[in-house]
């Protein structure tokens, strides 16, 4: 099992299965840029489910223990359940998926039956107007809440991801905390990141994780929880009164590159060793050129063993302006 040049093992893989989405979140796929004319990947360029399964197995052979299916919006890819069923066959794999929740009420049961272990739902506000403005396709918040209930009803543990943008939804922190306290669903606040170049990111838009913790703690007292494993990106806190846990992901204000064990595979089969990488390694070409399983595993190991990325620790105003790939392409 290869370590990278900074001694980090390969443990997590995020697989984007489409670059398309039914939302146009302002911090991810702003409508002005990703409107109708945006060039999404042609179908033939996407990895097939067979190719994804082969690659997933080759990553597991290199040490991956956890796979997260993402996108774009993964539930818009046709027959996603059959991909989950294929991946669920891989021994001892922690298999999860991140979704905007729009199609979750309809799909939760099938996903669970296919072998999905857990689900993360992105939900940035409980306020219907603010939520519609953030997804920018006028999608009502209640349907995402119904999706969360359907997932829980199907037996899937749920995490809820919130991205805060200063002045847009940062007044809703306590409402979210209040709503999810005691439900067993873990609420996680993610700092708004300078991924891609279309969202016009500015440091002033970021709501620091420390501010989220102090806001919640002042109303519902919190205490820290020890990390469950190396590379856990969320810092965990629990309610002192036993009403559950929250997490904060301080990727901007407290970067965690030193423990980053994550690789990302784009929908067209490019391997990225950092969320902020500019260039990916074309694994689809390796697969379609007829590589054996051993050759595929070695190709992945070779990329990982050369890895030196630690973008977030080096971030400055100058690096934030460099060209980068979009979140909707790489999947977060
Ligand atoms: C790119 S989305 C893909 C999966 C799915 N469409 C969803 O929204 O959950 C994955 C995660 O990235 C988050 N995200 C997107 N753009 C972001 C940004 N600029 N900074 C921080 N998180 C971001 C989303 O909120 C979501 O939780
Ligand atoms: S965050 Fe998810 S739901 Fe929102 S535009 Fe990006 S991919 Fe779509």
């Amino acid at each position: 099992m290869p370590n990278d040049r900074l001694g980090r093992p390969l443990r997590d893989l995020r697989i984007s299965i489409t670059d398309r989405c039914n939302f146009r979140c302002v911090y991810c796929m702003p409508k002005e840029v990703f409107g109708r004319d945006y060039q999404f990947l042609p179908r033939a360029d996407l990895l097939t489910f067979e190719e994804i399964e082969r690659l997933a197995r080759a990553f597991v052979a290199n040490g991956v223990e956890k796979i997260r299916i993402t996108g774009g919006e993964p539930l818009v890819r046709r027959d996603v359940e059959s991909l989950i069923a294929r991946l669920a066959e891989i021994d001892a794999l922690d298999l999860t998926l991140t979704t905007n929740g729009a199609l979750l009420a309809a799909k939760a049961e099938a996903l669970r039956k296919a072998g999905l272990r857990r689900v993360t739902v992105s939900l940035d506000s409980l306020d219907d107007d603010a939520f519609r403005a953030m997804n920018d396709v006028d999608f009502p918040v209640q349907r995402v809440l119904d999706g969360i209930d359907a997932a829980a009803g199907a037996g899937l543990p749920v995490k809820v991801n919130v991205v805060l943008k200063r002045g847009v939804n940062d007044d809703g922190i306590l409402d979210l905390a209040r709503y999810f306290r005691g439900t067993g669903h873990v609420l996680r606040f993610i700092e708004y990141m300078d991924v891609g170049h279309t969202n016009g990111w500015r440091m002033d838009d970021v709501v620091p994780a420390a501010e989220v913790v102090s806001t919640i703690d002042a109303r519902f007292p919190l205490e820290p929880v020890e990390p469950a494993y190396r590379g856990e990106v969320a810092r965990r806190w629990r309610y002192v009164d036993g009403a559950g846990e929250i997490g904060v992901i301080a990727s901007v204000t407290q970067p965690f590159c030193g423990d980053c064990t994550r690789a990302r595979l784009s929908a067209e089969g490019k391997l990225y060793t950092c969320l902020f990488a500019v260039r990916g390694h074309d694994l689809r070409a390796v697969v379609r050129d007829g590589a054996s399983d051993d050759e595929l595993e070695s190709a992945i190991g070779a990329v990982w063993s050369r890895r030196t990325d630690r973008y977030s620790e080096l971030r400055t105003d100058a690096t934030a302006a460099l060209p980068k790939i979009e979140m909707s392409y790489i999947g977060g």
Side-chain angles (χ1 to χ4, degrees):
M1 307 270 178
N3 277 1
D4 72 7
R5 292 238 177 110
L6 301 177
R8 300 166 296 187
L10 172 56
R11 290 282 178 265
D12 314 276
L13 174 66
R14 297 196 171 188
I15 306 178
S16 168
I17 60 169
T18 177
D19 59 339
R20 290 166 193 266
C21 188
N22 43 3
F23 282 12
R24 286 291 177 273
C25 301
V26 291
Y27 52 75
C28 180
M29 297 180 79
K31 221 183 217 166
E32 315 79 77
V33 183
F34 289 91
R36 273 216 202 120
D37 301 332
Y38 188 77
Q39 290 294 307
F40 292 103
L41 294 169
R43 201 171 168 73
D45 283 1
L46 298 184
L47 293 175
T48 64
F49 288 168
E50 290 81 356
E51 289 169 337
I52 293 174
E53 181 189 347
R54 246 196 107 202
L55 280 160
R57 288 183 183 276
F59 274 95
V60 168
N62 274 288
V64 163
E65 295 167 350
K66 175 172 157 189
I67 291 185
R68 177 176 298 279
I69 301 300
T70 177
E73 172 48 39
L75 300 190
V76 304
R77 179 132 178 205
R78 203 180 326 135
D79 206 18
V80 56
E81 305 83 328
S82 73
L83 172 66
I84 298 296
R86 282 171 177 272
L87 299 179
E89 294 281 306
I90 302 176
D91 268 353
L93 182 67
D94 182 8
L95 181 60
T96 180
L97 174 145
T98 302
T99 172
N100 61 26
L103 299 172
L104 191 56
K107 297 227 173 215
E109 191 69 42
L111 290 166
R112 175 70 190 175
K113 284 205 178 112
L116 191 68
R117 300 261 193 108
R118 301 182 284 116
V119 70
T120 300
V121 182
S122 303
L123 171 67
D124 300 321
S125 179
L126 288 172
D127 177 90
D128 195 51
D129 290 338
F131 185 71
R132 286 175 195 252
M134 275 191 98
N135 64 54
D136 210 12
V137 292
D138 211 24
F139 197 87
V141 72
Q142 189 55 48
R143 285 177 53 197
V144 176
L145 296 175
D146 293 345
I148 292 173
D149 290 347
L156 287 166
V158 177
K159 287 185 180 154
V160 176
N161 273 2
V162 183
V163 175
L164 293 172
K165 192 169 175 193
R166 178 74 75 198
V168 177
N169 62 337
D170 53 338
D171 57 352
I173 297 173
L174 278 180
D175 284 346
L176 283 158
R178 195 175 291 111
Y179 185 89
F180 288 107
R181 267 167 55 81
T183 60
H185 309 331
V186 178
L187 193 55
R188 303 191 321 161
F189 293 89
I190 306 174
E191 286 179 350
Y192 175 38
M193 289 181 284
D194 51 330
V195 190
H197 59 274
T198 55
N199 60 13
W201 182 91
R202 294 177 322 133
M203 191 69 201
D204 289 352
D205 294 331
V206 179
V207 180
E211 181 181 324
V212 176
V213 172
S214 65
T215 303
I216 297 179
D217 180 56
R219 176 68 189 79
F220 306 112
L222 292 167
E223 60 192 11
V225 183
E226 285 303 304
Y229 56 92
R230 179 184 177 182
E232 187 172 47
V233 293
R235 298 203 179 183
R236 298 162 63 199
W237 296 80
R238 72 177 147 240
Y239 294 109
V240 172
D241 66 4
E245 258 189 43
I246 65 155
V248 290
I249 303 176
S251 17
V252 178
T253 60
Q254 292 163 299
F256 37 75
C257 304
D259 267 344
C260 178
T261 56
R262 179 165 310 138
R264 296 175 159 86
L265 186 64
S266 75
E268 57 178 339
K270 292 215 170 108
L271 165 59
Y272 289 86
T273 54
C274 177
L275 184 51
F276 300 94
V278 182
R279 211 177 65 81
H281 304 264
D282 190 356
L283 293 182
R284 187 188 64 197
V286 181
V287 171
R288 293 190 184 171
D289 282 353
S292 67
D293 289 349
D294 280 352
E295 285 165 343
L296 197 52
E297 287 165 25
S298 306
I300 293 167
V303 171
W304 190 261
S305 59
R306 289 196 303 270
R307 175 184 191 242
T308 55
D309 310 88
R310 53 190 201 97
Y311 174 89
S312 291
E313 291 179 349
L314 305 174
R315 176 188 286 116
T316 62
D317 286 347
T319 55
L322 293 174
K324 288 185 241 73
I325 41 175
E326 295 299 327
M327 194 73 149
S328 53
Y329 171 80
I330 200 167

